[in-house]
Amino acid sequence: MSLSPHARPAIAPGAVTSGPIRGSRKHYSSPPGWPGLQVPSRKVELSDPVAPSLQLYDASGPYTDPAYAIDLAWGLPPLREPWLAQRGLGLEQVIESAEDSDRAGPACPAPLVQRCGENGRPVTQLEFARLGVVTEEMAFAAHRENLGRSQAIQGAPQRRADGEDFGAAIPEWVTPEFVRDEIAAGRAILPANINHPELEPMVIGRNFLVKVNANIGNSAVSSGVAEEVEKLVWAIRWGADTVMDLSTGQDIHPIRSWIVRNSPVPIGTVPIYQALEVVGGDPLKLSWPVFRDILVEQARQGVDYFTIHAGVRLAHIPLTAGRVTGIVSRGGSIMARWCLEGMRENFLYTHFAEICEICRRYDVSLSLGDGLRPGSQADANDAAQFAELETLGELTRVAWTHGCQVMVEGPGHVPMHKIKANMDRQLEVCGGAPFYTLGPLTTDVAPGYDHITSGIGAAMIGWFGTAMLCYVTPKEHLGLPNRDDVKTGVITYRIAAHAADLAKGHPAARLRDDALSRARFEFRWEDQFHLALDPDTACAYHDETLPKAAHKQARFCSMCGPKFCSMKISQDLRDDVAAMQKGPCAEGLPVMEGVLHDLAE
Amino acid sequence: MSLSPHARPAIAPGAVTSGPIRGSRKHYSSPPGWPGLQVPSRKVELSDPVAPSLQLYDASGPYTDPAYAIDLAWGLPPLREPWLAQRGLGLEQVIESAEDSDRAGPACPAPLVQRCGENGRPVTQLEFARLGVVTEEMAFAAHRENLGRSQAIQGAPQRRADGEDFGAAIPEWVTPEFVRDEIAAGRAILPANINHPELEPMVIGRNFLVKVNANIGNSAVSSGVAEEVEKLVWAIRWGADTVMDLSTGQDIHPIRSWIVRNSPVPIGTVPIYQALEVVGGDPLKLSWPVFRDILVEQARQGVDYFTIHAGVRLAHIPLTAGRVTGIVSRGGSIMARWCLEGMRENFLYTHFAEICEICRRYDVSLSLGDGLRPGSQADANDAAQFAELETLGELTRVAWTHGCQVMVEGPGHVPMHKIKANMDRQLEVCGGAPFYTLGPLTTDVAPGYDHITSGIGAAMIGWFGTAMLCYVTPKEHLGLPNRDDVKTGVITYRIAAHAADLAKGHPAARLRDDALSRARFEFRWEDQFHLALDPDTACAYHDETLPKAAHKQARFCSMCGPKFCSMKISQDLRDDVAAMQKGPCAEGLPVMEGVLHDLAE
């Protein structure tokens, strides 16, 4: 696309949220031996001169870097371009699809060298990994995973994490080779379409930090391109590691081009949605040729992973007949309808090898959709769900033989006592491919609060081994999430992911908890806010009752007031204990003497 | 108190929230064989004529009964009065404490026959239970626990709950005798001060529904009595089973009288807070006589349970010296300060037998405070915490020998992998006495969202066996919760408690999930709202995007729109499957034939 800057649509610079997250600043560093890589993080400096600053994982992209001038029409800097240029990939003629001229909005005019893999040469991260090659993407992702690790390793032994990892193998230090080996083994994916050079690479797998996906989608009343990109920018600002664009409607194609060109995180889609649009909304008119063309179109645009509902086999559908909530996955119900109409096998299943061939050419990762996931507590872990999971295991192996990266989607609605069986079964059936779950929701009785019902399940299944958690917003089951809902959903899932990392024993996870807890104990209010997942809300809540600037120096908060502040009393106590340990006053107390002796060891 | 109605303070009738919760109406029923007991529930009638109505557990008291005329100055109807009158309890002279005249506000003028237990005659529910007596309170509480159980037992076998109860023994049907036996064994408590006749009795124990406590407290800027009572009414409206009044300040005594006289749920307090007020805020001036007088004063008022930090022994305090967050319990830090100052043993510990004697006389249940609970992930499950727990186990047995009901408080801040050890240890050390935990918070990094960080831990520990969960609001660590925060905290904890009941295999828990899921699947929007924990929010969220009345009949929602609605497609599918099962079209498909055959079994 050689559109001149003059022809670019005018997008106001302030059209998307930008600027640093309160209390942190953008920081770039290079992994050892890779001076050309600039890996982003957020650096939080603390007011206590003794406390080391914290480098936090940062998925928010250049939008939080004040030095970066946002221009949506130019897209983000194509940082992968030089890496991709060296890989001997084919160049593709940019062909706008036939319908493009009919579509309402213009596509993003950002320049893109469009590439395509060729036969006989490695394209995907999996193929490179199998050849023993460490790609720039792997080194980049490894460095992100290591943030905080050196600090943790240097820390006192008692600050080193403990945990129960249920058989995961989280290393003390993540080398690029470790990332490569995990990808080669199929235990991790690095979703990175070769036509998404703007991507800041990240890795999804059980032995890495637990990741979070946020869904966005255009709405019928969408007012324009900037609004759609803002949804992405907003979700990653609060910590979404990947974003799925679940848009439906006429402008799917051009809007997606704006999203991909402006996204530093992997973008996922469910191509069957666009296919259904193309055939006028009638599932029965779907066909393999229609679907194939859409796969190619989206792969060329740079979509990083596709949800494919190939596990909804004809034979599984009757297993849903006795369910309380039938089939609740949109893609699953669309395919089930198609299958039953002609009593025919799902074309996504019968054409799965061809789907893999397309995905391989562009290194689009596969996300095997769980079209028969349970939609209620009653349907959890039933025959339909597990029959489909068996098929997903079969398809995982097919994808691997084609050199494709693949992860497996999971439920849904599951009571707590049935969650672990999902993880165990997935590990067993899918050969260790990363699990990517929606929640699960641990009860059905709280519409309006399903970020919480599902956050409980998400934390647990993340602990058990799920590699990425798909968020749920408070509007789930009720309506379209607004801006606040998206933020609430992302923060809730960051909580779940972090709680899971802590419980798994990730070696650096507790650094942030400890830093925040110390700040709390020492009444460093600003430090406490800055270390919070959501510094704005933490500060706003504090200021609601104690708004004055001086209160942020106060050695108490409004909950207890100065007289009842346990932290304050406890700090005084600490001095007493220290004095006791030095002075003679402990001598009269044999019980305490023993205790003090133990402490002195 | 013989205050004439003319002297009563004027409280506007609309001063507290009243009226039915949307979509339900108050319903009273009597347990078999107890025609005199009127046990409240909320009845939700569904729009589907085939679907049975649901009776939901209801802690909200008469406030949600439109037939009840609220008059805060008269207090709630003393429904236990006739039961208490027959028990041979002594009558007490009503003595206002010396400071009463100095206090700012007037006490609640509601008439109260003030009673006091005598030696040699049973007073507490535990004493009656040990004698084999089933009290009215036990029958009342049993009936509440059974709501939905007969419906569940009649249900199809596949709808009967499964679950993992970790050794709990939840019966199919709760008889009054079962309640009695659980209390006699110390595995449950029925907090019911003999001076709280307004109480609607409930039971707390591992083999009953998981309960939720909400904390309220007066604030310095409190504008009056109605505002304080409203906090209680608001918390129980959304499902708090008990309420702790953590007020500090000058008006503690009169405000508490308004709260107790108007509370249908057990009221708990932390008497050391009032003691600290009395001695002018200096922990070092605390003494046993001051504390004893306050215990008696509060017991006479009708407080149902006391948190007593008797486990903070002098010898345990040095164990906190290396902690990241020291001692974070207010009561714990106050007592630790007192102990260290004179290198003396905690007077709550040394006078514990006398505390028990006072509690027995009024049947105040003991809640053994965990003053050394961890305040951060770093401090979880440490030596200080578990040393205190050992002492709480010792004190549990002391309380039992005095005929006192007792439960044990638990943490706090605990990563997921260390939660179960807390429950297991408590069960082992405290002889099966009910566990009552605060959260636990599963990470420290999300101030502003600690209802969620703790809701995760609460659901899990509830599943493992905790009998009551103490809520945490979004303002935890930051400021005073407002009305919305209290509601959010209560709903979050109702989610946690219900998720725990489901996972434990409570025989009737899933009824509500199933009813709501069916309503969802059948697009009965109003039924879905009415079955929700928070019908108002569910409806408001729906209406945000589809506000018209007609949309509540719509067979889709704004999330997917009609074309992409999986529920709609799935319902069409169900008809197809039904047709297949009848018609010849399945014959050509041997795989499906087998499946269909299985389904027909």
Side-chain angles (χ1 to χ4, degrees), chain B residues 29-31 33-39 79 83 140:
Chain B
S29 61
S30 303
W34 298 81
L37 302 190
Q38 292 287 302
V39 180
L79 61 97
W83 318 340
F140 193 104

Side-chain angles (χ1 to χ4, degrees), chain A residues 30-373:
Chain A
S30 303
W34 298 81
L37 303 189
Q38 291 289 302
V39 180
S41 64
R42 289 201 296 125
K43 200 164 191 171
V44 179
E45 309 276 4
L46 302 179
S47 65
D48 178 2
V50 179
S53 62
L54 253 80
Q55 265 180 275
L56 303 179
Y57 195 105
D58 180 17
S60 65
Y63 301 100
T64 47
D65 182 352
Y68 175 72
I70 298 166
D71 185 336
L72 300 187
W74 275 122
L76 295 177
L79 62 97
R80 294 174 66 211
E81 183 53 42
W83 317 341
L84 293 161
Q86 295 169 1
R87 288 187 193 156
L89 300 163
L91 295 185
E92 275 196 328
Q93 208 55 34
V94 177
I95 305 157
E96 287 294 298
S97 76
E99 285 121 317
D100 267 7
S101 50
D102 298 341
R103 283 170 177 147
C108 179
L112 172 70
V113 180
Q114 218 167 50
R115 293 192 169 81
C116 174
E118 288 171 5
N119 289 339
R121 306 192 67 148
V123 187
T124 70
Q125 298 289 325
L126 174 56
E127 288 171 320
F128 282 111
R130 282 176 178 165
L131 292 169
V133 176
V134 171
T135 62
E136 289 82 357
E137 287 87 348
M138 296 171 194
F140 192 105
H143 194 58
R144 297 182 102 170
E145 294 287 327
N146 281 330
L147 291 170
R149 264 179 158 103
S150 59
Q151 202 170 314
I153 290 168
Q154 289 155 15
Q158 72 273 20
R159 290 182 58 193
R160 299 277 279 282
D162 55 349
E164 164 57 59
D165 64 8
F166 298 106
I170 301 167
E172 279 273 290
W173 187 257
V174 177
T175 61
E177 290 74 20
F178 181 79
V179 173
R180 177 195 63 197
D181 295 347
E182 289 292 294
I183 293 171
R187 278 193 299 271
I189 66 169
L190 195 159
N193 187 319
I194 57 171
N195 290 319
H196 191 186
E198 304 87 353
L199 184 81
E200 295 175 349
M202 51 79 75
V203 62
I204 300 169
R206 186 182 172 208
N207 295 324
F208 300 104
L209 288 160
V210 177
K211 303 303 188 297
V212 170
N213 172 71
N215 296 330
I216 61 170
N218 67 338
S219 46
V221 294
S222 149
S223 62
V225 159
E227 187 187 293
E228 299 306 321
V229 177
E230 169 65 4
K231 290 177 188 171
L232 160 82
V233 172
W234 186 246
I236 63 178
R237 182 176 183 84
W238 299 113
D241 294 292
T242 78
V243 166
M244 289 195 80
D245 174 19
L246 305 185
S247 295
T248 54
Q250 288 300 307
D251 300 339
I252 282 186
H253 180 90
I255 286 177
R256 194 187 307 113
S257 79
W258 287 91
I259 290 172
V260 176
R261 296 284 72 78
N262 288 285
S263 176
V265 303
I267 296 294
T269 63
V270 186
I272 202 78
Y273 295 173
Q274 188 178 352
L276 193 65
E277 285 294 343
V278 167
V279 298
D282 181 356
L284 307 183
K285 293 200 181 129
L286 289 168
S287 68
W288 165 243
V290 166
F291 187 79
R292 181 196 55 210
D293 291 351
I294 283 161
L295 281 192
V296 173
E297 177 188 322
Q298 295 197 10
R300 285 178 172 177
Q301 276 190 315
V303 171
D304 300 287
Y305 63 91
F306 289 153
T307 292
I308 304 284
H309 294 97
V312 183
R313 295 194 61 182
L314 178 59
H316 302 155
I317 301 168
L319 296 171
T320 67
R323 281 182 160 187
V324 167
T325 44
I327 300 177
V328 296
S329 144
R330 274 196 261 175
S333 59
I334 291 165
M335 290 319 301
R337 192 96 180 85
W338 187 90
C339 293
L340 276 195
E341 180 67 17
M343 294 307 283
R344 52 196 165 175
E345 188 56 278
N346 183 341
F347 66 78
L348 300 172
Y349 180 80
T350 55
H351 290 272
F352 191 70
E354 291 153 274
I355 292 171
C356 290
E357 283 166 23
I358 295 168
C359 288
R360 191 199 81 86
R361 274 209 300 282
Y362 304 91
D363 199 4
V364 179
S365 297
L366 286 154
S367 186
L368 300 177
D370 57 333
L372 303 182
R373 69 171 175 263

